[in-house]
Amino acid sequence: MSLPKMTRLLSRRPLVSIQQQQLPPSTLVPGRTLIQSEYRRPGKPRDNEPPWQKIKFDLSKGLEGVKKHFTLLKNELTGRWVGPEGKPIIEHMLEQNRVVWEFRGPESLQQWTLSSDREIGGQSEIYMELGRNSTSCLLYGTLCSTPPRDGETRYSGYCTARSKQPLASFDRKKHHDWSSFNCLHLRIRGDGRPWMVNIATETYFSHQKDDIYNYFMYTRGGPYWQDVKASGIIPFSKFFLTHRGRIQDDQHPLWLDKINTIGFTLGDNADGPFQLEIDFIGVCKDYAHTEEFAYEKYKRNPEV
Amino acid sequence: MNPYVLSILLMGLGLGTTVTFASSHWLLAWMGLEMNTLAILPLMAQHHHPRAVEAATKYFLIQSAAAATILFASSTNAWLSGQWDIQHITHPLPTVMITIALSLKLGLAPLHAWLPEVVQGLDLTTGLVLSTWQKLAPFALLLQISPEIPLLITSLGLISMLAGGWGGLNHTQLRKVLAYSSVAHLGWMMVVMQFSTSLTALALLMYVIMTTSAFLTFKLLKSTDMNSLAMSWAKTPSVTALAPMMLLSLGGLPPLSGFLPKWLIIQELTKQELGLVATVAALSALLSLFFYLRVCYCLTFTSSPNNLAGVAPWRLESKQISLPLATSTSLSILLLPISPAILSLTLPLF
């Protein structure tokens, strides 16, 4: 957004923020300083409107919401009589592959959230659209590792796409249960850049909110789709635990019964355009893969 | 875990339950319950996995809330009646509060929501301790105060049976299935408590034996979900043959041991002219039986050349001591023919 034009000089006044001049005095109250307060994008004015003033009543949207949530509830209750996750147990047991996300229509893009370092003042861009013939999803944009000039950020340059949390009826959190599977199967076509796959599981404490399990995904470029062992099929045993991007000393295997979201991040410090085409994201059971966890844990303070 | 620390924690667990058993004063009983809670917390969180720490935290919060309620109720009783004796709790208010607090401690419906999540976050050995040993002390207290509020006890029992049956229906994680099985069995124990405390004790004893067998079986097979159970024929064929018997015994089918407590409880309820309660109890057993049968199906009726449900394991010799599993499985299958002997041994005791 562009800055408003200054029509006169401010020589007699001390330099103040332009926003403070334009906002009415009643809103110049200190905002919440809690660590867990909602993120405010730099440059956006602080939102001090109380929640009850933000409600917008709309009868048709309300009726649509009622219909949607009660339909979901009905499906949950009837699915319960069929079997786990609405499928018969024999299907659950014999399932070897499951496609979780496939991009075949515009509604599939609504399940994803895009983000880049633009939120902290950087200049990277990321966009998502359907590929040719609506058979794939194309993530493209530009990476720019110039850090924002805010005096404290030293590094920058990331773009990410993350799936939204699955929701049950009445916006209750639901989780993906991938405990029958042991590998992540991606069919992708990239431009040679290294991406990172992030899986977020359900956590309990607020300080675990940013705990994510990561692994690398190397794309090969070229016209051929990738879904072979090298980089398209990633065993879950390879994922390592990080918190806010920092690899943790105390590593734990990824538990697959409560997965919340999956995401792809590009942050390879190479400025320029990027493209990643995704056909589908699925999970599979590789019978030959018996590893439970790829990383040995060493004592941090061994007795000598 | 360091063996000294482990032995201290296990001795703390044993001491806590023993103190509660031996107490006639509410404060001493409360102290025993607190010792049990605190001793099991490091056992729960020993692996430091985020889910294990979550389970330990949830368990601590629930048990502390229940213990605080017990303390408050016993203080209220002391204020109203002037004495702290466990068996002389007469005023309805503290009696109801203590019953609800002990139900929260045990995981009786409608206060059972914490149990599946906590058991799911633990390894199988700690889950076994939680499902068996940790039930003994609260039950000892409930047995002593049960005659005072029959309607509440019967309602809790019926709701637990139904909630345990319905709740366990669609889970594929074995620990959650065993947690709901625990809720359902606790319901059976509660429903007959006001008429015959010895039958409650017998039901508890049978439940402990069968649950021990179930947990040790899953530990031997290294299975925590139904798909990995499907490969048990490759690991230990003998256990694969006996485990369905043990699961059907949990479901209460004759001629297995698990039928004994259910039969006697239904008989007692019928004698007390509670035919409707007995009917609902018998029907709710069908719900639990369904998910036990489902586990049996996954365990036994899936084998090659069909598609394998689980990953083929290395066929290594197990280092687990087999005596507890062998004993508990034998007891959970073979005790029904000696029911008169069991009754003559247990009935006079409680």
Side-chain angles (χ1 to χ4, degrees):
Chain A
M1 68 183 190
S2 57
L3 296 172
K5 285 188 187 158
M6 300 297 298
T7 51
R8 57 189 173 87
L9 293 173
L10 299 170
S11 55
R12 291 199 190 165
R13 282 209 228 158
L15 278 172
V16 290
S17 151
I18 294 162
Q19 288 176 351
Q20 281 184 351
Q21 283 182 338
Q22 295 189 338
L23 290 172
S26 61
T27 57
L28 291 175
V29 290
R32 284 177 291 164
T33 52
L34 298 169
I35 295 168
Q36 302 298 331
S37 64
E38 213 176 288
Y39 177 71
R40 183 179 64 85
R41 198 160 165 166
K44 267 178 95 173
R46 204 178 285 278
D47 178 24
N48 287 321
E49 215 180 342
W52 56 87
Q53 287 182 0
K54 290 193 223 171
I55 304 173
K56 289 181 180 42
F57 288 102
D58 184 353
L59 185 64
S60 60
K61 268 182 98 173
L63 287 175
E64 229 177 77
V66 162
K67 190 171 152 200
K68 172 184 150 203
H69 288 299
F70 276 99
T71 310
L72 283 172
L73 183 65
K74 186 200 87 172
N75 292 341
E76 272 169 49
L77 292 173
T78 49
R80 199 170 170 71
W81 296 105
V82 176
E85 292 173 317
K87 292 182 294 210
I89 187 73
I90 189 74
E91 209 179 297
H92 171 86
M93 287 191 70
L94 296 178
E95 213 177 8
Q96 290 176 295
N97 300 285
R98 185 194 293 180
V99 174
V100 187
W101 288 278
E102 61 177 354
F103 302 93
R104 300 289 183 263
E107 63 285 346
S108 55
L109 300 184
Q110 303 301 323
Q111 297 168 14
W112 291 80
T113 306
L114 303 176
S115 177
S116 67
D117 63 1
R118 191 162 260 229
E119 294 193 351
I120 56 164
Q123 292 154 42
S124 308
E125 295 168 345
I126 182 167
Y127 305 98
M128 182 187 247
E129 59 181 43
L130 283 176
R132 202 183 296 175
N133 295 332
S134 300
T135 53
S136 60
C137 146
L138 185 65
L139 274 173
Y140 65 98
T142 314
L143 197 72
C144 177
S145 52
T146 311
R149 293 167 70 170
D150 54 11
E152 52 182 69
T153 310
R154 288 189 292 166
Y155 309 106
S156 186
Y158 66 86
C159 290
T160 179
R162 190 173 182 179
S163 69
K164 289 186 180 156
Q165 166 92 44
L167 295 174
S169 54
F170 303 103
D171 289 338
R172 289 172 298 133
K173 264 162 84 165
K174 209 165 61 164
H175 312 286
H176 296 287
D177 182 3
W178 295 343
S179 46
S180 314
F181 308 98
N182 60 4
C183 291
L184 185 66
H185 187 163
L186 307 160
R187 190 157 192 262
I188 50 169
R189 187 160 57 180
D191 53 358
R193 291 223 198 209
W195 289 73
M196 187 162 259
V197 183
N198 317 314
I199 294 181
T201 55
E202 175 67 6
T203 53
Y204 182 64
F205 298 102
S206 55
H207 60 255
Q208 291 173 322
K209 175 169 73 72
D210 299 313
D211 276 6
I212 286 180
Y213 291 82
N214 300 333
Y215 198 66
F216 316 104
M217 180 176 77
Y218 295 101
T219 56
R220 297 283 171 235
Y224 299 111
W225 287 93
Q226 247 175 283
D227 60 353
V228 293
K229 253 215 156 5
S231 40
I233 297 183
I234 307 171
F236 289 121
S237 59
K238 302 284 189 200
F239 281 78
F240 51 87
L241 176 64
T242 61
H243 175 78
R244 297 180 74 111
R246 296 179 197 275
I247 302 177
Q248 299 301 296
D249 287 332
D250 196 19
Q251 284 294 325
H252 303 287
L254 169 61
W255 277 32
L256 294 159
D257 59 338
K258 282 188 177 176
I259 304 282
N260 281 353
T261 64
I262 192 170
F264 300 95
T265 303
L266 178 68
D268 60 353
N269 220 21
D271 293 4
F274 64 85
Q275 277 190 346
L276 178 71
E277 203 175 350
I278 308 174
D279 184 2
F280 65 81
I281 299 166
V283 286
C284 66
K285 192 186 309 190
D286 183 359
Y287 292 107
H289 185 82
T290 51
E291 185 184 60
E292 286 175 11
F293 190 48
Y295 310 103
E296 286 184 25
K297 287 170 52 170
Y298 296 97
K299 281 190 183 171
R300 276 166 282 163
N301 298 306
E303 294 102 29
V304 282
Chain B
M1 192 181 255
N2 186 324
Y4 298 116
V5 172
L6 182 63
S7 56
I8 289 173
L9 292 172
L10 292 175
M11 281 196 283
L13 270 180
L15 183 63
T17 303
T18 315
V19 160
T20 306
F21 278 173
S23 64
S24 57
H25 192 292
W26 273 113
L27 286 180
L28 191 63
W30 168 81
M31 202 172 77
L33 293 172
E34 286 287 273
M35 284 167 67
N36 262 358
T37 305
L38 293 173
I40 204 175
L41 289 176
L43 291 174
M44 287 178 157
Q46 61 182 312
H47 297 295
H48 299 287
H49 192 282
R51 293 288 291 275
V53 174
E54 175 190 334
T57 309
K58 283 178 177 171
Y59 184 74
F60 170 70
L61 290 171
I62 295 290
Q63 301 290 306
S64 304
T69 311
I70 290 172
L71 203 54
F72 177 54
S74 54
S75 308
T76 309
N77 183 59
W79 175 47
L80 289 170
S81 63
Q83 46 84 30
W84 290 88
D85 206 31
I86 292 177
Q87 291 182 345
H88 294 128
I89 186 164
T90 47
H91 197 278
L93 175 63
T95 315
V96 167
M97 281 172 64
I98 286 188
T99 307
I100 290 176
L102 290 170
S103 310
L104 181 60
K105 264 206 183 281
L106 287 167
L108 272 169
L111 304 162
H112 66 289
W114 59 274
L115 189 60
E117 288 299 325
V118 169
V119 180
Q120 172 69 10
L122 307 175
D123 57 321
L124 285 162
T125 319
T126 319
L128 167 63
V129 172
L130 179 66
S131 299
T132 52
W133 187 258
Q134 296 291 81
K135 308 276 185 227
L136 298 178
F139 249 107
L141 296 174
L142 263 178
L143 284 174
Q144 294 177 72
I145 65 167
S146 62
E148 310 293 335
I149 19 119
L151 180 61
L152 178 63
I153 300 269
T154 312
S155 316
L156 285 173
L158 271 179
I159 295 172
S160 297
M161 281 192 247
L162 293 169
W166 259 309
L169 275 182
N170 264 336
H171 288 288
T172 53
Q173 297 290 330
L174 293 172
R175 287 167 289 188
K176 282 193 177 173
V177 166
L178 288 174
Y180 280 104
S181 143
S182 163
V183 173
H185 276 94
L186 287 171
W188 280 91
M189 293 172 219
M190 290 295 280
V191 93
V192 79
M193 196 182 277
Q194 50 177 313
F195 306 118
S196 172
T197 51
S198 49
L199 275 183
T200 303
L202 175 66
L204 178 62
L205 179 64
M206 293 305 308
Y207 162 73
V208 164
I209 293 172
M210 293 186 292
T211 305
T212 306
S213 175
F215 271 98
L216 291 176
T217 303
F218 297 144
K219 188 163 173 251
L220 180 74
L221 299 172
K222 292 195 184 61
S223 302
T224 50
D225 64 6
M226 290 197 194
N227 278 344
S228 51
L229 265 189
M231 297 309 297
S232 56
W233 60 269
K235 295 175 191 170
T236 43
S238 49
V239 171
T240 310
L242 286 174
M245 298 288 117
M246 176 269 298
L247 285 164
L248 293 175
S249 178
L250 264 172
L253 284 186
L256 304 164
S257 310
F259 180 61
L260 174 63
K262 291 192 163 72
W263 157 38
L264 293 172
I265 288 171
I266 290 181
Q267 186 178 320
E268 185 64 34
L269 288 174
T270 320
K271 272 193 215 165
Q272 300 291 338
E273 294 178 8
L274 287 175
L276 183 60
V277 174
T279 311
V280 171
L283 289 174
S284 70
L286 291 175
L287 289 169
S288 309
L289 186 63
F290 180 72
F291 58 75
Y292 294 130
L293 271 174
R294 184 178 264 174
V295 180
C296 289
Y297 173 77
C298 297
L299 189 56
T300 331
F301 300 128
T302 47
S303 60
S304 65
N306 296 324
N307 271 340
L308 301 173
V311 176
W314 288 101
R315 298 189 193 191
L316 301 169
E317 202 179 318
S318 169
K319 293 273 186 295
Q320 184 174 316
I321 305 168
S322 55
L323 182 62
L325 173 60
T327 318
S328 56
T329 308
S330 312
L331 290 174
S332 65
I333 294 174
L334 298 169
L335 281 182
L336 193 64
I338 57 165
S339 315
I342 295 170
L343 284 171
S344 60
L345 283 171
T346 52
L347 282 178
L349 284 178
F350 295 98

